[in-house]
Amino acid sequence: MASSASQDAKLAVTTKRRRTALTDTMFSTLYEDLEVRFCLSAYADCVLDGKSDFLLNFQTREAMLRVLAASGLSDGSMQGVFEESIRGWPPKEESGEIIRSQIVLDHDRNQRILFFGWSSELKAMHIEFILRYCDKSHGYVELGAGSGWLAFLIKDRGVKIDAYDSMEGDTFVQNWTKQPWFKHVKKGSFEALSIDSKMDVRTLLLCWPEKNSDFAVQAIKKYTGTCFIYIGEPEGGETANEDFFKIINTKWRLRGQLSISADPASSDVEHDSVFVYGRRSSSGQDQNATDRSEPKKF
């Protein structure tokens, strides 16, 4: 056992060093790209509010790479996203002209959402937490999947997930359809829960559902499985509505919770967490948990 633990520790150190080296190489590549663009750019012709477009776009790429580095993707997937999406940002229309609308936003989080979607705040530890609690062998079904980034992160770890989104409404960003991870998203909604009986054993994922909508309520009512994961703010926050929390407080048991904010004192996503719930049986017990201890918070 001691030898196995030692080997695991050495592997973890080696993996961390390799990932750090890969990330450093990617940042160096961005800096080299910036120098080349600076030399080739007609500076006087591309000024926007006192800053050049290529500099603003570089800052956006930096923010994207920070999300990518924290995601826990495999080396190959990470390299692919970097080359295909980050170095190639901003996207170009068929005419070849740069799409200038919504390239850079003032708020750093909005930049990340525009590119990766609402799940851009999730890091490797959050994905591992999601995979820890429920039965991975049956896979996941995600409603309101948005950009497909979360589904991409889960699939990259070799776990099956079916992701659906209506692709409508104010919270759906058309820019997401240009990203390679969007290919994992199918058009659909609640009907995906009744495609076949297998859905009953899959884990339901709901990520940042709208507050002024009954989407989360309808999803949890139609879901017949025993484990679901809600990512968003707690009751009284800016995600999901009062009826949703009434249902989970009476019919579900909190099994685990992991905060998304790295700094609890931060005003940015300070309330957001990953919440794991198990359905209560008729006797009030959690149908999934083998122990009846208090929910784990990390």
Side-chain angles (χ1 to χ4, degrees):
M1 291 294 291
S3 176
S4 177
S6 176
Q7 291 177 353
D8 290 345
K10 289 180 180 180
L11 178 60
V13 170
T14 301
T15 300
K16 184 176 181 179
R17 288 175 177 172
R18 187 183 71 248
R19 298 282 298 187
T20 299
L22 178 59
T23 302
D24 289 346
T25 299
M26 290 178 178
F27 273 111
S28 296
T29 301
L30 283 188
Y31 297 140
E32 292 171 3
D33 287 351
L34 177 64
E35 292 176 0
V36 171
R37 288 169 184 260
F38 184 86
C39 294
L40 298 179
S41 173
Y43 184 80
D45 295 331
C46 63
V47 172
L48 177 65
D49 294 334
K51 290 186 178 180
S52 64
D53 276 357
F54 62 77
L55 179 57
L56 288 172
N57 292 335
F58 171 76
Q59 293 169 341
T60 302
R61 290 187 185 94
E62 276 192 314
M64 294 171 182
L65 183 49
R66 285 193 292 272
V67 173
L68 182 62
S71 68
L73 280 174
S74 62
D75 292 355
S77 296
M78 186 174 173
Q79 189 70 48
V81 171
F82 175 71
E83 292 293 342
E84 182 177 354
S85 300
I86 296 180
R87 290 191 73 189
W89 182 266
K92 294 185 178 181
E93 297 175 316
E94 292 182 1
S95 64
E97 295 183 0
I98 290 177
I99 303 172
R100 296 183 181 273
S101 63
Q102 293 186 321
I103 291 177
V104 177
L105 302 177
D106 292 334
H107 196 293
D108 192 46
R109 189 184 186 192
N110 286 343
Q111 291 179 348
R112 300 191 295 270
I113 291 172
L114 192 65
F115 190 73
F116 293 103
W118 299 104
S119 53
S120 62
E121 303 298 329
L122 300 178
K123 299 178 175 61
M125 63 178 179
H126 300 113
I127 306 303
E128 297 305 322
F129 182 79
I130 287 171
L131 299 180
R132 181 191 309 168
Y133 273 87
C134 298
D135 191 343
K136 297 188 291 293
S137 64
H138 296 307
Y140 295 78
V141 55
E142 181 184 11
L143 299 186
S147 70
W149 179 245
L150 176 56
F152 179 59
L153 295 179
I154 290 176
K155 278 180 176 288
D156 187 64
R157 287 161 169 80
V159 179
K160 181 181 178 181
I161 177 171
D162 291 317
Y164 298 88
D165 198 285
S166 65
M167 304 181 192
E168 301 171 350
D170 296 336
T171 58
F172 185 82
V173 181
Q174 287 301 319
N175 184 68
W176 294 339
T177 63
K178 302 180 180 69
Q179 308 306 338
W181 42 89
F182 185 73
K183 66 183 179 182
H184 299 295
V185 183
K186 305 170 188 176
K187 187 174 178 61
S189 188
F190 308 121
E191 69 278 3
L193 296 176
S194 57
I195 289 178
D196 55 55
S197 59
K198 290 182 180 178
M199 284 297 177
D200 291 345
V201 295
R202 294 176 181 176
T203 298
L204 173 65
L205 286 170
L206 295 177
C207 304
W208 284 281
E210 291 182 70
K211 181 178 182 178
N212 299 320
S213 167
D214 66 348
F215 170 80
V217 173
Q218 293 302 316
I220 202 63
K221 282 183 175 180
K222 294 179 183 297
Y223 176 59
T224 58
T226 59
C227 181
F228 93 92
I229 295 173
Y230 161 68
I231 303 175
E233 295 190 18
E235 187 171 3
E238 295 301 317
T239 53
N241 61 24
E242 184 178 348
D243 291 339
F244 171 78
F245 289 103
K246 285 181 179 178
I247 293 174
I248 63 174
N249 287 337
T250 56
K251 296 185 178 181
W252 296 83
R253 178 180 181 269
L254 182 65
R255 299 177 60 198
Q257 177 182 342
L258 178 62
S259 174
I260 292 175
S261 176
D263 179 8
S266 170
S267 60
D268 186 26
V269 299
E270 63 174 318
H271 300 299
D272 291 342
S273 292
V274 179
F275 300 89
V276 181
Y277 289 93
R279 186 188 295 275
R280 295 180 186 275
S281 65
S282 57
S283 63
Q285 298 294 332
D286 180 354
Q287 295 181 29
N288 295 273
T290 55
D291 67 276
R292 307 303 174 191
S293 58
E294 288 301 308
K296 301 175 183 178
K297 295 187 178 181
F298 298 85

